[in-house]
């Protein structure tokens, strides 16, 4: 069997998606090794999850840098040092500039808690509720230079229930995030998934613009 795919995972907070990767690897569902977890916040709970799992960690505090580009250059150099095959943004709450993005395009994934292209940016669940949407969800996508705009890989739909609060909806969406994100990474790790002509391609066939759709 090929060497496990080397993952670097970037976080800012709780790291429940990071935990989903750790668990998927432990269960043998994802042929990968997390070689580093990097946070821009020293207090991120996800760093403790990584340490518990014996994964090397690093913190690069964005507040120590004069501007985004300098932070992004330091982050890029730190990530490159771990020689990743795939870089995973898992609740990394900084907007990234081309200084960071360019070297990793095609091997950089993000998960966003909405059915993209709806609701890029923040407060996605409240925006879905305010709009009266029947479906909310999450999208795993390749990262490009457009914020939350890269080609979709997997989209999971979650039904909005009568009386849902943003918190209740977020909790149900998070559960599906934990299923779809390691699955997309496994497609990449096994050579099935790539970025071609700005489309996510699975087994040589471009995926629909929504990505592969999973209904809850
Ligand atoms: C998730 O909702 C993810 O979609 C968004 O940030 C949140 C991260 O949660 N990008 P966690 O830190 O993985 O628990």
């Amino acid at each position: 069997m090929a060497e496990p795919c080397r993952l670097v995972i970037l976080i800012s907070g709780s790291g429940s998606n990071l935990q989903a990767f750790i668990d998927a690897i432990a269960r043998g569902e994802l042929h990968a090794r997390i070689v580093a977890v990097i946070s821009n916040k020293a207090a991120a709970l996800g760093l403790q999850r990584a340490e518990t799992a014996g994964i090397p960690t690093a913190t690069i505090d964005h507040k120590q840098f004069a501007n985004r580009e300098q932070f992004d250059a330091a982050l890029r150099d730190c990530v490159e040092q771990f020689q990743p095959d795939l870089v995973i943004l898992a609740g990394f709450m900084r907007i990234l500039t081309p200084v960071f993005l360019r070297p990793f395009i095609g091997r950089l994934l993000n998960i966003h808690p909405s059915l993209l292209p709806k609701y890029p940016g923040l407060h996605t669940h409240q925006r879905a509720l305010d709009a009266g949407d029947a479906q909310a969800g999450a999208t795993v996508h390749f990262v490009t230079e457009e914020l939350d705009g890269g080609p979709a890989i997997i989209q999971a739909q979650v039904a909005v229930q009568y009386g849902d609060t943003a918190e209740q909806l977020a909790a149900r969406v998070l559960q599906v995030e934990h299923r779809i994100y390691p699955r997309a990474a496994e497609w990449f790790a096994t050579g099935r998934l790539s970025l071609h002509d700005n489309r996510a391609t699975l087994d040589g066939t471009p995926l629909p613009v929504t990505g592969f759709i999973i209904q809850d």
Side-chain angles (χ1 to χ4, degrees), residues 141-162:
H141 63 96
F142 279 107
V143 177
T144 60
E145 291 181 27
E146 186 191 346
L147 178 68
D148 298 328
I153 300 164
I154 306 182
Q155 194 159 79
Q157 300 179 345
V158 173
V160 176
Q161 286 169 14
Y162 183 74

Side-chain angles (χ1 to χ4, degrees), residues 11-18 49 89-93 110-113 125 138 174 177-178:
I11 62 163
S12 300
S14 135
S16 71
N17 277 287
L18 162 66
R49 297 180 191 267
L89 302 179
F92 186 72
M93 301 304 285
N110 183 41
I111 190 160
H112 183 74
H125 303 299
L174 204 51
E177 292 186 31
H178 298 161

Side-chain angles (χ1 to χ4, degrees), residues 3-7 21 25-26 29-34 185-186 189:
E3 287 290 302
C5 183
R6 294 173 65 85
L7 306 181
F21 274 82
I25 292 168
E29 292 169 8
L30 171 56
H31 187 51
R33 184 156 76 90
I34 305 171
E186 170 66 2

